[in-house]
Amino acid sequence: MLITHDTRCALDTVVDLVNTAPEDDGTPDGLQDVAALADFVRNHEISDVGLLSEFDLSAVRKIRGRFASVFAAPDALAAAALINDLVAAAGTTPQLTDHDGYDWHVHYFAPGASVADHLAADCGMALAFFVVAGERERLRRCEAPDCRRAFVDLSRNRSRRYCDSRTCGNRLHVAAYRARRKEAAG
C-alpha cells in the first residue's frame, strides 16, 4: 500500500491524538488544557490553525473519542460508518497545496476550519484510505494486557502486535521467558 507523506503525517497525528486519552482514572489526560492542545498542534505541524480556545479543546477531545471508536470497530463496515460521520461533519473541502516546503498534497479541511474539523477531515481521510485498500485491520490496539495504545501496523506481513516492541513487546517476552524458566526449574 502506497502511503504518501501527508497521509503518513495524518496517521501519526491520529494515533498520537487517540493516545492522549487517559487509559484509566489514574492516568492524566494528554490534552488536559488549551496549552497542551497548542503543544499537540505545534508538535504535529498542523497548519492553518488560529488561536485555540476551551471550545477547541472540548471539540478535539470529542473527535478523539470518535477516532478511538474507529480503532475499536469490529469490522470495515462499522469503521467506514464512523469515518464517514467524522469526515462529513467536518465539511471537507479537498484542496491541493504545497506549503511549508512540502511538495503537492491534499488538505481535506475547509479553509478557516477549526482544529477539530481540520483533524477530523485530514485524519479521517487517512483512515479512510486504509478501509478502501482493504487494510482496516492495520488500525490496531496494543495487545499488551496493561496497554491499549493505538497504532497503525505498517509491517510488511501485518504482524505487529505491540505499540512499541522495545517496551510493551519486550516486557511481555521477558515475562514469558521468566515464566518458562520458573516452570522448568520446578
Side-chain angles (χ1 to χ4, degrees):
M1 175 176 182
L2 174 67
I3 301 174
T4 61
H5 170 69
D6 54 312
T7 299
R8 180 61 193 256
C9 289
L11 289 171
D12 291 345
T13 300
V14 72
V15 164
D16 289 348
L17 177 63
V18 169
N19 290 335
T20 64
E23 291 184 30
D24 55 40
D25 291 338
T27 308
D29 191 320
L31 294 177
Q32 61 190 15
D33 54 26
V34 175
L37 177 59
D39 287 343
F40 183 88
V41 166
R42 185 177 49 261
N43 292 338
H44 290 86
E45 298 179 0
I46 300 170
S47 60
D48 297 332
V49 174
L51 187 62
L52 299 171
S53 67
E54 288 291 332
F55 177 81
D56 292 310
L57 178 62
S58 175
V60 169
R61 284 179 176 164
K62 182 177 176 182
I63 65 154
R64 174 181 67 186
R66 295 175 74 191
F67 278 128
S69 297
V70 173
F71 280 84
D75 54 37
L77 185 63
L82 292 164
I83 293 167
N84 283 340
D85 287 347
L86 272 163
V87 172
T92 59
T93 306
Q95 292 185 342
L96 284 168
T97 183
D98 67 341
H99 63 89
D100 296 333
Y102 294 109
D103 203 358
W104 289 105
H105 59 282
V106 180
H107 282 182
Y108 294 94
F109 58 93
S114 70
V115 66
D117 285 346
H118 179 131
L119 291 168
D122 274 0
C123 296
M125 289 305 299
L127 296 176
F129 295 143
F130 275 77
V131 173
V132 168
E135 302 284 351
R136 193 217 46 95
E137 71 275 0
R138 290 182 182 267
L139 308 176
R140 298 192 176 161
R141 290 290 191 155
C142 185
E143 290 183 19
D146 59 340
C147 179
R148 297 299 299 151
R149 292 178 60 86
F151 68 94
V152 178
D153 178 5
L154 297 176
S155 67
R156 184 177 295 184
N157 62 358
R158 300 178 186 98
S159 62
R160 187 170 162 198
R161 297 174 47 207
Y162 307 109
C163 64
D164 185 348
S165 61
R166 290 183 312 258
T167 54
C168 291
N170 191 45
R171 188 173 61 246
L172 285 175
H173 290 121
V174 168
Y177 171 76
R178 288 180 179 157
R180 286 191 306 271
R181 288 199 57 197
K182 184 177 180 180
E183 184 178 310

